[in-house]
Amino acid sequence: MESIIFNPKEKKRTGPVIFSEYKRGDAIRKIITMSREDILFELKDSKLKGRGGAGFPTSTKWMLTAAAKSDHKFIVCNADEGEPGTFKDRVLLSEYPELVFDGMVIGGYTIGAQQGILYLRGEYEYLLKPLEDYLEDMRKDNLLGNNILGKEGFNFDISIVLGSGAYVCGEETALIESLEGHRGEPRNRPPYPINTGYLGRPTCVNNVETLSAITHIVMKGGSWFSKFGTDKSSGSKLFSVSGDCAKPGVYELPWGIKVSELLKIVEAKNTKAVQIGGASGYCIPKSQFERAIAYEDIPTGGSVMIFDESRDMLHVLKNFMEFFVDESCGQCTPCRIGNHKLLEGVEMIERGEYTFSYINKLKDLGRTMQVTSKCGLGQSSPNPFISILENFKDEIFNRSNGGRNGR
Amino acid sequence: MLIVEKNALSEEIESYVNKYGNDRSALLMILHEIQKKHRHISEFAQQEVARLLNIHPVEVYSVISFFAFLNDNPKGRNLVRVCQTISCDMKGKKQVVEAIERELGIKIGNTTKDNKFTVEYANCLGLCDMGPAMAINDRVYTNLTPEKAVELLAKVK
Ligand SMILES: Cc1cc2nc3c(=O)[nH]c(=O)nc-3n(C[C@H](O)[C@H](O)[C@H](O)COP(=O)(O)O)c2cc1C
Ligand code: SF4
Ligand code: FES
C-alpha cells in the first residue's frame, strides 16, 4: 500500500518532451562546450514559460539574473508543490531527478550561480534521503563540485532544504524568507529575487518542471521545443489529474488541448465540472469544455480536478475556502479577513441563511481581494468562490431544506 | 528536565549547527531535525538554537509558530496526518477518519491517552491520484479504505 517509490531507473512513461529519452549528465556535457549566450539564445527560441503557475518567460528571468552584478548568485528549484491537486513535481523528482538536477546545473552555469537549493516540501520528506544520495552520486561523477567535468572554474553544488507545511512558501519571496530562517511571509515586490533574493543576492527561482524542460531544450534545441504546443504556449505540459475519472495520474500533453479531449484521455464520464489550476484556479462547467488549456485561453500550473454529476459543488467550494483560511499567512488584511468572510458566506448558503444582496457583496469583496492582496494567494483565492457561484448557481441556489437536500 | 538531558540536547543541537552552519539560514533544517527526533521543539531547545545562531529566542518561536509541521508542545509518539483536501475528500476521507476515530477512541485533532498517536488533518499531500491518502510520521499511504487505514495503525509500534 506504500506506493511511493523512488525509482529513477525504471521508466514506463512516455511523452513528447519531458518524458522523452534523456541520460544523466548529457546536457551538462553539452553546455561546457557552449557559451552562456548560446544557452540563453536556445532558451529564448524555445519560448518556454515558467511552469510554476505564473507563466513568466524563463529566458527573460535567466537573462536578468545572468546580467545582475554579484559575486554570489543562487538558483532555487521550487519543489514546494502545495497547490491542491498538483503532484507532477513529485513524479519528476522521484522518477526523473536527472532532469531536475541537470537543469539546475545548467542554470548555475548560465546565470553564474555557484550554489543551487532545492526547496522540497515537508510533505515529500520521504524523497529527501534518496535525493541526497542521488546528489552524492552526481558528485562522484563530477557532475557537481569543483571544475565540473574538467571545465576550469565551473563550480556548482546543490543542497536540499525541507519546507515545513506551509502552502504560501511556494510563493517565491516567502520561500526565500523561509530559507533565510524567517517566517514564510511574502515580501513586497519590487525588489524582485533576480536582483535581491536569497541573502540579498540575485536569485533565480524556477519550478521543477521548468528546469526539467530546460534540460531537454539544451539537448534538442529551442526550435524543437517550440514546435510543440501553440503560438503563445510552447512545448508540452504535465497535467496532474485527479477526481472522478478512470485513469487519474500525471499526463504529458501538448498545450492547446481542449478540456473535452483531456477528459476523454483520462476516461472521465458524466463530468459536470472541471477545476483547472488547483484551488486557486477556475471551475469550468460543461458548456465550456471546448475551451483550450493554454496561456491564450485557460492558463494553468497543471492541476485538473474532475467532478461528475453526483458531486455537490457547494461542498467543493467549501473545501477550497477552508484551505485558504488555513493557509493564508495573515500578513495582509484583504486575505486574512477576506477568506474568512467568503467561507462564512459559503456556510450561510449551506444553511440556507443568506440573501442574494449579501452574496453579491461577497463577490465584490472577492474582486477587491484580487487587486489588493499582497501576494498571489489572496489574489487568487476568490477565483473558485466567484467561478463556482457563477457557473453553478442553479444547482447551488435552488437547494431547498436550508440547502440540505437530504445530503 | 534533568541536567544530563539538557546537556545531551545541547550537544545534539550543536551537532546540527555543525552540519548546517551557524547562521540563520540554517534555522529551518535545524528545527526540522529537532522536531523529527523529539516530535516537538521545547522551550529549552528553542533557547539553545537561539544561542547557537546568535538570534533572539522569540525569533525561533515565531518561525515554529508559523509552520504547520513544527510545534512547541509534545504530540503523540506517532503522528498521523489524513489529507482533507477535495480529491481525497471525494474518494472517502470522511469514512477513513471516522474509522480511525472509532478505533482509537479519539476525535481528529487529538492524542490518544497512551500518547501513542496524534491524529490530524493535513492539506493536500500531493498524492491526489491515489486518494484517500495519509501519512504516518514520514511515510505515506495511499488508496486507503477505512479498514486498511485501521490495519496500518495496528502495525505501528
Ligand atoms: C501562494 C503561492 C504558491 C505557489 N506555489 C508554488 C509552488 O509550489 N511551486 C512553484 O514552482 N511555484 C509556486 N508559486 C509560484 C512562484 O511564486 C514562482 O512564480 C515560481 O516558482 C517561478 O518559477 P517558474 O518561473 O519556473 O514558474 C506559488 C505562488 C503563490 C502565490
Ligand atoms: S495575500 Fe494572504 S498569503 Fe499573501 S501576504 Fe497577504 S495574507 Fe499572506
Ligand atoms: S487531495 Fe489529498 S493528496 Fe491531494
Side-chain angles (χ1 to χ4, degrees), chain B residues 1 9 34 38 40-47 64 71-72:
Chain B
M1 208 179 186
L9 186 55
I34 303 171
H38 302 274
H40 76 298
I41 302 160
S42 65
E43 217 180 300
F44 178 73
Q46 293 174 37
Q47 283 164 7
I64 294 171
N71 47 279
D72 59 342

Side-chain angles (χ1 to χ4, degrees), chain A residues 168 186 328-332 335 373-375 377-378:
Chain A
V168 71
S328 165
C329 82
Q331 201 186 174
C332 68
C335 170
S373 293
K374 185 168 172 178
C375 86
L377 192 153

Side-chain angles (χ1 to χ4, degrees), chain B residues 83 85 87-88 124-128:
Chain B
C83 173
T85 308
S87 294
C88 290
C124 182
L125 297 171
L127 300 162
C128 333

